[in-house]
Amino acid sequence: MLSRGTPMTSFTLCSCSFGAETRKSQFGDNAMRHLAAALKNNHTLTFLGLRSYFRGTKLTPCSAEDIVEVLNGCTALKTLDLARNSIQDAGVIPVAQALRVNTCLEELDLEDNSIGKGGAQHLAEMLLMNKAIRRLKSVSGLRSCGSGYGVLYELAFGVSNERCRSILVTFFFFFF
């Protein structure tokens, strides 16, 4: 528990298992709206973990604007874990657009979010403009795997920006 006045630097929402009974986190789009409001203008949070561990408790495209609000308001945020949600193309596109100008975030985990070719294209374009992101963790779960990965693959080997190529080539060697 934090003492009064102690800055919070890491926040993770997760589930807890107690013997045979598992308590599910009911974190979803509505709760994300409240979290985004609570984190507005936060200058100490460096890690935000919103990975979903259960079906039915996932962030959807409806949470995109709230995620963008967190990205814009948390000026020290270095790592954002959104893995295993259901953000999809409709949600990842506004997040990628916000990240084009974000100068803080260094790691983004979008594993298993049903991202398709459109979302992959926006992520690839974002990497060309964003100078801070060093690691894009597993964008597995791309719909139509060939087409989504194809966009990132073409960018990885066709881009002249060495930093972006390094991020994307590392991604491909790690996952293929």
Side-chain angles (χ1 to χ4, degrees), residues 10-69:
S10 180
F11 183 78
T12 303
L13 282 174
C14 65
S15 56
C16 301
S17 179
F18 301 99
E21 178 189 340
T22 300
R23 294 187 169 211
K24 294 183 180 179
S25 164
Q26 294 301 313
F27 190 81
D29 295 328
N30 190 40
M32 182 64 210
R33 188 167 300 112
H34 295 291
L35 180 62
L39 293 175
K40 189 179 268 190
N41 300 318
N42 181 295
H43 305 293
T44 60
L45 190 69
T46 59
F47 177 88
L48 181 57
L50 301 175
R51 176 180 296 249
S52 177
Y53 291 96
F54 293 102
R55 293 181 185 172
T57 58
K58 297 179 181 286
L59 298 177
T60 71
C62 296
S63 292
E65 292 306 317
D66 297 315
I67 295 167
V68 167
E69 187 176 330

Side-chain angles (χ1 to χ4, degrees), residues 82-117:
L82 296 171
R84 298 181 182 166
N85 281 286
S86 188
I87 295 171
Q88 306 170 11
D89 284 352
V92 83
I93 290 171
V95 170
Q97 289 171 339
L99 286 171
R100 288 179 179 207
V101 295
N102 182 291
T103 58
C104 297
L105 198 72
E106 295 175 359
E107 293 188 26
L108 176 62
D109 190 343
L110 291 169
E111 176 186 6
D112 199 15
N113 266 285
S114 300
I115 298 169
K117 185 176 182 178

Side-chain angles (χ1 to χ4, degrees), residues 89 92-93 95-97 99-100 108 110 115-130 133 136 139 142 151-152 155 164 168:
D89 284 352
V92 83
I93 290 171
V95 170
Q97 289 171 339
L99 286 171
R100 288 179 179 207
L108 176 62
L110 291 169
I115 298 169
K117 185 176 182 178
Q121 180 67 45
H122 278 82
L123 288 170
E125 292 169 359
M126 174 274 296
L127 284 173
L128 287 172
M129 301 181 81
N130 183 301
I133 292 202
L136 178 60
V139 188
L142 285 169
V151 171
L152 291 173
L155 179 70
C164 292
L168 293 168

